[in-house]
């Protein structure tokens, strides 16, 4: 009996179902897919390929539009040669390959699985691929971050080793000086030498700690500038005075050329002097004895420029980019650094940028010397200089109260203040400070914060309530220099904040009525 209706032959039905399944899979996958025919030249070298079939994801994965029947060189003439070689190898050997590779002409990275299809003579290759550009970018960013972390870790280890070395160095002379001071037969000359040793070594340790605090404040954005109009010559003179002993010891020929057109500049005088001193110190460290150092300034329409040039060991080109990075030191000059933590130039960069300026270094290479150039914005006004150029009034004899539970610290500061011609009272706890102040009525009180019985902030609040204390200058002396500690100190009624060890220069300026010491 004849069947009802037309029935497709079983073979044709199988083929139809197979094609339909293939097309459904081909069109639905997220991966890009294509079949190409590799083209070879007469010598058998793969030179191009033509797209015979693509799926809907192909265009999204490649950005190539209307690729069917067109060659890759026509679509992307700059496509790299390694793609043609790879697909040529697959077409001739029949060996499937999975690989990652960049396609710079398309601006992408791909994860590719390619295999031969059809007869070997047809040179057909099927390609299943994914655009992994975002993944590669993340991997490269992660690798770059890891490289930076590894470098930072190396710098950190080097810094800690340097810090330990620099802090140990002063201990030996200080221990010997303490031993000598315990002997009764010291001559006046030996006593003076011992005192000078202690002063130098304590000063060295104090500068190290100041540098560490400065770096922390700059990196955390907590360092506040106190700008004022000051003659640039005064700032430079102060910096030169600080560095002169090192330059004289190394017998450097120093020349200073100042542009008379630059008068008053709008800077924090203490911090900008620190910038100049750090750059001069850097030049002196890396310049051989008898070398030359030149400091010059010049006025420009929208800036003033300060340059420090030396004929020292120079800087290799590959070292220039990291020169202002924290804890960085020029490797070629590691044995000439005269000590230091490798943070001086980092501080320079931070302070200059806080002023709104910029700093750069130039060198023709090793043994060719170097030039550091600071470019600063011009002064906002000239009127601000009037108050700063008025002569200081004669220093009046002041009554000063010193309170610190560290007896050595209190007594030595008291001796210094007395030696400067002022009347001083020294006590060793907070309650004694309040009692002494009510009798002594000091003009200035230098108070430690961490005292027993009453801490310095409690003492400050108590003294602020005294009817006689309207003009009392309250100065906090503390080892804590962070922003939160300073905030608490000023909230308690203090006028000034000094970080221990207290600098005699800062103390003397305050006694003279100069409030820039803070």
């Amino acid at each position: 009996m004849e069947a009802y209706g037309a029935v497709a032959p079983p073979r044709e039905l199988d083929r139809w179902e197979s094609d339909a399944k293939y097309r459904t899979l081909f069109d639905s996958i997220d991966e890009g897919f294509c079949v190409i025919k590799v083209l070879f030249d007469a010598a058998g070298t793969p030179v191009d390929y033509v797209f015979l079939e693509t799926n809907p994801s192909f265009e999204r994965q490649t950005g190539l539009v209307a690729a069917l029947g067109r060659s890759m060189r026509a679509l992307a003439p700059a496509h790299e040669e390694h793609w043609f070689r790879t697909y040529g190898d697959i077409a001739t050997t029949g060996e499937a390959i999975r690989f990652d590779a960049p396609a710079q002409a398309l601006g992408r990275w791909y994860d590719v699985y390619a295999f031969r299809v059809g007869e070997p003579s047809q040179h057909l290759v099927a390609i299943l691929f994914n655009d992994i550009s975002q993944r590669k970018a993340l991997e490269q960013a992660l690798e770059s971050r890891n490289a930076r972390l590894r470098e930072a870790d190396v710098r950190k280890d080097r810094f800690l080793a340097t810090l330990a070395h620099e802090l140990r160095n002063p201990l030996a002379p200080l221990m010997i000086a303490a031993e000598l001071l315990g002997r009764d037969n010291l001559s006046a000359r030996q006593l003076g030498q011992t005192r000078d040793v202690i002063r130098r070594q304590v000063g060295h340790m104090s500068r190290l700690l100041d540098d560490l605090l400065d770096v922390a404040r700059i990196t955390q954005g907590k360092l506040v500038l106190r700008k004022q109009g000051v003659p640039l010559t005064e700032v430079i003179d102060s910096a030169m005075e600080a560095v002169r002993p090192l330059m004289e010891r190394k017998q450097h020929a120093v020349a200073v050329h100042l542009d008379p057109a630059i008068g008053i500049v709008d800077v924090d005088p203490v911090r900008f002097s620190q910038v100049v001193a750090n750059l001069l110190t850097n030049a002196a460290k890396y310049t051989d004895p008898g070398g030359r150092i030149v400091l010059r300034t010049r006025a420009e329409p929208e800036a003033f420029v300060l340059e420090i040039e030396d004929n020292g060991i120079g800087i290799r080109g590959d070292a220039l980019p990291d020169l202002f990075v924290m804890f960085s030191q020029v490797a070629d000059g590691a044995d000439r650094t005269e000590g230091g933590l490798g943070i001086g130039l980092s501080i320079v960069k931070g302070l200059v940028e806080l002023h709104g300026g910029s700093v750069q270094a130039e060198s023709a290479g090793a043994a060719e010397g170097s030039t550091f150039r600071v470019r600063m914005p011009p002064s906002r006004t000239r009127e601000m200089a009037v108050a700063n150029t008025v002569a200081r009034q004669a220093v009046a004899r002041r009554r000063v109260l010193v309170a610190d539970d560290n007896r050595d610290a209190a007594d030595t500061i008291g001796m210094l203040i007395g030696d400067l011609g002022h009347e001083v009272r020294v006590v060793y706890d907070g309650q004694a400070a309040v009692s002494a102040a009510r009798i002594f009525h000091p003009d200035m009180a230098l108070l430690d914060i961490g005292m027993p019985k009453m801490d310095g902030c409690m003492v400050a609040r108590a003294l602020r309530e005294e009817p006689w204390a309207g003009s009392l200058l309250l100065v906090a002396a503390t080892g804590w220099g962070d922003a939160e500690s300073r905030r608490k100190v000023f909230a308690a009624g203090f006028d000034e904040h000094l970080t221990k060890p207290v600098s005699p220069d800062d103390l003397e300026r305050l006694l003279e009525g100069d409030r820039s010491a803070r």
Side-chain angles (χ1 to χ4, degrees):
M1 182 174 68
E2 187 175 351
Y4 179 79
V7 178
R11 251 175 112 183
E12 301 235 346
L13 181 60
D14 289 345
R15 184 180 299 162
W16 179 84
E17 289 179 345
S18 177
D19 289 347
K21 289 177 181 178
Y22 167 74
R23 177 53 59 183
T24 299
L25 177 63
F26 186 71
D27 290 346
S28 63
I29 61 175
D30 289 334
E31 289 83 356
F33 184 80
C34 63
V35 178
I36 64 171
K37 180 178 180 61
V38 182
L39 305 179
F40 294 83
D41 63 14
T45 301
V47 293
D48 203 353
Y49 52 84
V50 176
F51 293 99
L52 302 182
E53 196 166 7
T54 62
N55 73 340
S57 292
F58 174 89
E59 183 176 323
R60 176 173 55 83
Q61 297 272 1
T62 65
L64 299 175
V65 180
L68 282 177
R70 302 175 68 187
S71 75
M72 189 63 187
R73 289 203 184 275
L75 293 165
H79 200 48
E80 296 93 335
E81 290 296 328
H82 69 83
W83 292 99
F84 303 107
R85 291 195 303 270
T86 300
Y87 295 144
D89 289 344
I90 296 169
T92 55
T93 67
E95 183 180 348
I97 299 179
R98 177 178 290 278
F99 62 94
D100 291 355
Q104 294 178 356
L106 304 182
R108 306 182 188 220
W109 266 85
Y110 289 104
D111 171 22
V112 179
Y113 179 64
F115 53 96
R116 187 173 71 187
V117 295
E119 298 299 325
S121 60
Q122 292 178 292
H123 297 152
L124 301 181
V125 176
I127 307 167
L128 187 66
F129 61 94
N130 271 304
D131 180 354
I132 58 170
S133 303
Q134 186 174 11
R135 189 187 85 192
K136 280 293 181 181
L138 290 173
E139 289 175 355
Q140 290 170 355
L142 182 60
E143 177 55 32
S144 177
R145 178 176 177 272
N146 288 339
R148 290 196 300 271
L149 288 174
R150 287 192 295 270
E151 176 61 22
D153 195 48
V154 171
R155 291 184 187 279
K156 179 261 296 179
D157 290 343
R158 186 165 60 237
F159 163 70
L160 290 176
T162 304
L163 177 60
H165 176 268
E166 290 298 317
L167 290 177
R168 283 195 189 102
N169 274 348
L171 293 181
L174 285 174
M175 290 176 63
I176 293 173
E179 176 66 25
L180 289 172
L181 289 175
R183 300 183 177 183
D184 296 331
N185 58 347
L186 280 186
S187 66
R189 182 181 63 83
Q190 291 172 321
L191 184 63
Q193 289 176 331
T194 304
R195 180 196 62 219
D196 292 341
V197 166
I198 294 173
R199 179 181 296 155
R200 281 195 302 271
Q201 299 307 320
V202 170
H204 176 64
M205 296 183 74
S206 178
R207 285 191 296 274
L208 292 178
L209 294 173
D210 286 344
D211 282 351
L212 289 172
L213 289 172
D214 284 345
V215 166
R217 291 169 186 152
I218 291 170
T219 54
Q220 296 171 17
K222 295 179 179 179
L223 192 146
V224 179
L225 296 181
R226 293 173 176 83
K227 290 185 178 181
Q228 55 184 284
V230 293
L232 181 58
T233 53
E234 287 187 8
V235 177
I236 292 175
D237 286 346
S238 175
M240 291 290 296
E241 184 64 28
V243 186
R244 185 170 287 113
L246 173 59
M247 294 189 293
E248 288 180 348
R249 179 163 57 83
K250 298 185 75 172
Q251 297 181 322
H252 289 142
V254 182
V256 178
H257 305 290
L258 303 182
D259 187 341
I262 306 174
I264 304 301
V265 293
D266 180 21
V267 297
D268 180 322
V270 174
R271 293 303 185 180
F272 196 66
S273 178
Q274 184 180 359
V275 167
V276 181
N278 280 11
L279 291 175
L280 286 170
T281 299
N282 185 75
K285 284 180 177 181
Y286 294 104
T287 300
D288 287 331
R292 174 181 53 82
I293 298 173
V294 179
L295 184 153
R296 64 175 68 89
T297 64
R298 69 173 182 273
E300 293 185 352
E302 296 300 326
F304 75 84
V305 177
L306 180 142
E307 290 181 346
I308 294 176
E309 176 186 335
D310 64 67
N311 64 345
I313 67 172
I315 307 165
R316 298 192 322 270
D318 60 347
L320 282 170
D322 293 331
L323 204 59
F324 296 97
V325 175
M326 198 179 307
F327 313 138
S328 175
Q329 288 183 328
V330 178
D332 293 344
D335 59 341
R336 313 186 186 203
T337 60
E338 306 280 339
L341 299 177
I343 57 180
L345 292 181
S346 176
I347 292 174
V348 166
K349 184 175 186 291
L351 291 177
V352 169
E353 290 179 349
L354 280 175
H355 278 86
S358 63
V359 59
Q360 65 182 103
E362 296 177 357
S363 177
E368 296 294 333
S370 58
T371 300
F372 287 80
R373 182 174 299 108
V374 175
R375 190 177 302 274
M376 296 285 289
S379 299
R380 292 170 299 175
T381 61
R382 299 274 173 149
E383 291 79 4
M384 68 179 70
V386 174
N388 299 307
T389 56
V390 175
R392 290 179 179 176
Q393 296 180 348
V395 179
R397 178 180 169 87
R398 294 175 179 270
R399 295 187 303 276
V400 183
L401 174 67
V402 176
D404 196 322
D405 61 324
N406 184 325
R407 289 178 173 262
D408 289 341
D411 290 341
T412 52
I413 288 177
M415 285 190 288
L416 175 61
I417 293 172
D419 191 59
L420 292 171
H422 303 283
E423 186 179 355
V424 63
R425 295 287 186 276
V426 178
V427 296
Y428 308 110
D429 64 66
Q431 285 183 357
V434 174
S435 299
R438 287 172 176 163
I439 299 171
F440 185 47
H441 290 189
D443 302 305
M444 171 178 157
L446 182 70
L447 306 177
D448 177 38
I449 297 301
M451 292 187 291
K453 299 181 182 179
M454 292 178 68
D455 66 29
C457 290
M458 296 172 65
V459 174
R461 293 189 185 97
L463 295 184
R464 283 297 180 215
E465 296 177 357
E466 294 292 322
W468 52 267
S471 60
L472 172 63
L473 176 65
L474 284 178
V475 182
T478 173
W480 298 99
D482 59 281
E484 179 61 20
S485 298
R486 294 172 66 89
R487 186 193 65 76
K488 290 179 180 178
V489 160
F490 292 125
F494 281 96
D495 301 295
E496 298 290 335
H497 176 285
L498 297 180
T499 305
K500 290 183 175 181
V502 175
S503 163
D505 290 339
D506 285 346
L507 187 59
E508 189 169 358
R509 281 195 292 268
L510 286 174
L511 290 167
E512 292 174 354
D514 183 348
R515 296 289 298 279
S516 66
R518 180 172 70 179

